[in-house]
Amino acid sequence: MMNRMFYCLLLVFLFTSCKRNSDVKVMYLAHTLPQSHPVHKGILEFKRALAEKSGGKMDIKIFPDGQLGSERETLELLQIGSVAVTKVSAATLSNFVPEYHILGIPYLFRDKQHQFDVLEGEVGKSILEKGSKFWLRGLCYYDAGSRSFYTSNKPIRTPDDLKGLKIRVMNNQMAINMVNSLGGSPTPMAYGELYTAIQQGVVDGAENNPPSFVSSNHYEVSKYYTLDQHSSVPDVLLIGTKYWESLTEEEKVWVQEAANISSQAQKKFWSESVEESMAVAKAAGVEIIIPEKSLFQEKSKPVLEAFQKEHPNMDNLINKIKNQ
C-alpha cells in the first residue's frame, strides 16, 4: 500500500514539474543506466544541445540509475504524460510497439555501418514513428553495441559448445528463441540477480555488450567472452506523445535537432567505452574468443524464418533492411 501511495504521489509531482517554470520549460527524463554509461553521456549532450538550440528556453532534468523505475515502468510514465522523455532498449520497447521486434533478429545487420545506415534512414525513421499510436514517439537511436556470449567455466567456440548451458537472457521472445536455436537453455532473469547467479552456478553464462559486461562486474565471474555478436539491438530515445503534442512547432524542432546531435555524439562515447571495457576484461584475465560468426549465423536462421511466418506483415521492412 505504501509503495502504491508513493507511486501515485510521484506521478502528481512529475506531472506538475514538467510544466513551465518561470520562462524555462523543463522536461523530465528518466533512464535506468549509471551516470558513467556512454548512453548517459549521450543524454547529457541532448540536454546541452537543447539548451543551446532553444536559447535557454528549454532544459532537461535527468533521473538516471532507475530512480523512477524500470524501463517498462518509465515507458508507462511516458504514456500517461508524467515523464517527458526516456531511454529504453528496443527489446523492451518491442513489448509496446511490435515493429521494434525486427531490430532483435540475429545477424540482421551485416556490420556497424549497415546498422547506422538502416537506423538513420527511411526504415529506422518509420519504426520510430510507429510508436506514436502507442503514445511513445521515437526521437532517435543510441548505439548499444553488439551482444555476445560470456561464460564462467566452459568456453564457447562454436554453437555446439552451447549445448546444455543455461544462458541468462532478457525476458524477450526473440532472445529466448535465439539461444534455443543455438542449442542452449535460455533462462530469463532480472539483470540485478545475474552476478550472483553466475557466481553460484545457477546459470552458466549470459550475453551482452562489452560495456555492460564490465560495468556490471560480470567479468569477475566469467572467464570467457566469445565475440559472436549475434544481435545489435539499439537503444531508443523516446518522448511521450502527450508531452510532444503540448510543445509548440518551434519547440518540437529544437527537441528533434538536439536528439539528432546527441545520437551522433553518443556513437563516439560508445566506441570509446567498448575499447576501455575490453582492456579491463583482458587485464582481468578474461579469455577473448573470436569465433567463426558464420556458424552462429547459419544456425540461428530459424529465428528469422519463424518470425516471418508469425509476422508476415513485417516482411517488407525486413526486406528493405536486407537490401539496403
Side-chain angles (χ1 to χ4, degrees), residues 130-147:
K130 295 289 185 183
S132 293
K133 61 184 176 183
F134 301 100
W135 305 288
L136 300 168
R137 187 183 190 280
L139 290 171
C140 67
Y141 297 96
Y142 284 156
D143 190 1
S146 297
R147 301 178 74 91

Side-chain angles (χ1 to χ4, degrees), residues 210-269:
S212 296
F213 177 56
V214 170
S215 65
S216 62
N217 295 320
H218 293 170
Y219 70 97
E220 297 176 350
V221 291
S222 302
K223 299 177 183 177
Y224 307 99
Y225 194 20
T226 302
L227 301 181
D228 64 296
Q229 300 176 322
H230 47 259
S231 65
S232 299
V233 182
D235 282 338
V236 186
L237 188 67
L238 300 146
I239 188 167
T241 303
K242 289 185 178 180
Y243 190 81
W244 176 258
E245 291 174 350
S246 74
L247 300 177
T248 66
E249 291 305 310
E250 186 177 38
E251 289 169 341
K252 289 176 181 177
V253 171
W254 293 336
V255 169
Q256 186 62 64
E257 288 182 349
N260 294 343
I261 290 170
S262 75
S263 178
Q264 297 305 311
Q266 190 270 340
K267 288 182 190 178
K268 182 174 179 290
F269 299 142

Side-chain angles (χ1 to χ4, degrees), residues 44-99:
L44 289 177
E45 183 64 15
F46 178 42
K47 173 184 171 74
R48 185 206 62 77
L50 181 60
E52 181 180 284
K53 290 284 181 182
S54 67
K57 295 177 181 177
M58 298 188 75
D59 192 16
I60 300 173
K61 172 69 174 175
I62 304 170
F63 292 85
D65 298 305
Q67 292 177 31
L68 301 187
S70 66
E71 287 197 333
R72 184 178 185 90
E73 287 167 339
T74 58
L75 286 172
E76 291 169 350
L77 289 173
L78 249 70
Q79 287 180 314
I80 62 177
S82 296
V83 169
V85 183
T86 192
K87 187 292 309 172
V88 300
S89 168
T92 303
L93 193 51
S94 67
N95 295 313
F96 293 75
V97 186
E99 284 78 7

Side-chain angles (χ1 to χ4, degrees), residues 133-177:
K133 61 184 176 183
F134 301 100
W135 305 288
L136 300 168
R137 187 183 190 280
L139 290 171
C140 67
Y141 297 96
Y142 284 156
D143 190 1
S146 297
R147 301 178 74 91
S148 294
F149 292 110
Y150 51 89
T151 47
S152 55
N153 295 311
K154 179 183 177 181
I156 297 172
R157 304 186 191 279
T158 71
D160 289 342
D161 294 326
L162 279 158
K163 289 179 180 177
L165 296 187
K166 289 183 287 186
I167 303 296
R168 181 269 176 185
V169 294
M170 296 180 290
N171 190 15
N172 171 273
Q173 195 58 51
M174 189 75 73
I176 292 170
N177 292 346

Side-chain angles (χ1 to χ4, degrees), residues 101-102 105-106 108 174 177 300-323:
H101 278 297
I102 292 173
I105 294 172
L108 175 68
M174 189 75 73
N177 292 346
S300 63
K301 280 183 177 178
V303 178
L304 171 58
E305 294 167 358
F307 181 82
Q308 288 178 303
K309 286 182 181 178
E310 187 176 351
H311 303 280
N313 59 313
M314 296 191 195
D315 272 354
N316 186 43
L317 278 176
I318 293 172
N319 290 331
K320 282 184 178 180
I321 291 173
K322 285 184 171 182
N323 295 329

